[in-house]
Amino acid sequence: MPHPLPTPSYIIEALIFNFDCAFIAPTSLKVKLLEIFQSMLLQSTDCSKSFISFINNEFKENNEFEEWIYNYLQKINFLNAIRHDYVLPRYRNLDVLKVAIRTASNYSQNEYYLKHTLSTIKSAWSQKKHRDSKNGRKACNFQISERHIGLLNELSQLKRRRKNEMLEILIEDACEDVGIKKTS
């Protein structure tokens, strides 16, 4: 029967004892070095914690997230770009992804990439949610003369409408004038 893993407090006590015995230095210097080591340890795990926390929170709020994140990470070749000591099974599972992120965060060369990827994922997911909330609407990018922009601004203010609403009303009125029927 395997032995149970030691508790985090036991590990910390053992490290402090071994550190104390290994270095002959004033206590204040030992305390300062321990504080630096603790800070470094916290920084190295912060990235994986925030990454995993983001995954957990989004998965709770949206059932589409799991499929989306796998597709996104596959598109950016995430798991091949990081070093991790984990053989990933062929099936998709968020727990497997979290283990890969945790083990990847153990390697300092992955730190920047994990932070950058998390930032990119958050932005892409936010944009997807925003676009999904605009169901039935599509962004347009075209040029209009400055004179017509001024007229649209003036017309929108007079009618107390946003510019896009005013354009929709003008298009519907023009279609009605020429006999085009509304599709919806």
Side-chain angles (χ1 to χ4, degrees):
M1 176 176 248
H3 296 286
L5 292 173
T7 64
S9 60
Y10 176 81
I11 293 171
I12 291 171
E13 287 177 32
L15 286 172
I16 290 172
F17 175 78
N18 288 331
F19 184 79
D20 193 38
C21 294
F23 292 101
I24 299 172
T27 306
S28 61
L29 179 60
K30 289 179 182 180
V31 168
K32 186 67 176 166
L33 285 173
L34 282 171
E35 289 171 355
I36 291 169
F37 291 149
Q38 181 181 13
S39 172
M40 289 169 62
L41 180 63
L42 290 173
Q43 284 178 346
S44 69
T45 58
D46 271 356
C47 185
S48 69
K49 283 180 184 175
S50 60
F51 209 136
I52 291 167
S53 174
F54 170 73
I55 290 171
N56 289 336
N57 291 337
E58 291 302 326
F59 182 64
K60 283 179 199 171
E61 293 176 15
N62 194 319
N63 295 334
E64 295 176 11
F65 180 72
E66 184 172 13
E67 184 69 24
W68 178 86
I69 195 168
Y70 271 107
N71 290 337
Y72 188 83
L73 291 176
Q74 187 174 14
K75 184 174 85 175
I76 65 169
N77 209 16
F78 173 73
L79 292 174
N80 293 333
I82 59 171
R83 178 176 178 197
H84 55 83
D85 294 330
Y86 198 70
V87 178
L88 298 171
R90 291 180 186 259
Y91 63 89
R92 295 177 169 200
N93 182 321
L94 281 181
D95 292 331
V96 171
L97 177 61
K98 291 177 204 174
V99 169
I101 291 167
R102 279 192 196 105
T103 57
S105 69
N106 292 333
Y107 298 99
S108 60
Q109 68 263 35
N110 292 333
E111 184 177 347
Y112 171 78
Y113 186 71
L114 286 172
K115 287 179 182 177
H116 175 72
T117 303
L118 175 59
S119 174
T120 304
I121 287 172
K122 283 181 174 180
S123 297
W125 180 245
S126 175
Q127 186 176 38
K128 181 196 178 326
K129 288 193 307 187
H130 177 72
R131 285 183 178 162
D132 288 352
S133 71
K134 301 292 182 193
N135 196 10
R137 303 188 77 70
K138 185 175 179 176
C140 295
N141 185 11
F142 49 83
Q143 294 182 357
I144 301 176
S145 70
E146 289 182 21
R147 182 175 148 262
H148 286 97
I149 288 174
L151 291 171
L152 179 61
N153 286 337
E154 193 175 327
L155 189 58
S156 298
Q157 287 175 354
L158 288 171
K159 297 289 186 174
R160 295 184 193 167
R161 301 276 186 176
R162 293 186 310 219
K163 291 178 213 172
N164 64 319
E165 291 174 331
M166 206 62 238
L167 282 173
E168 289 171 353
I169 291 169
L170 291 170
I171 291 168
E172 286 179 3
D173 288 350
C175 286
E176 201 174 281
D177 289 346
V178 294
I180 297 175
K181 294 181 182 178
K182 293 183 185 178
T183 56
S184 57

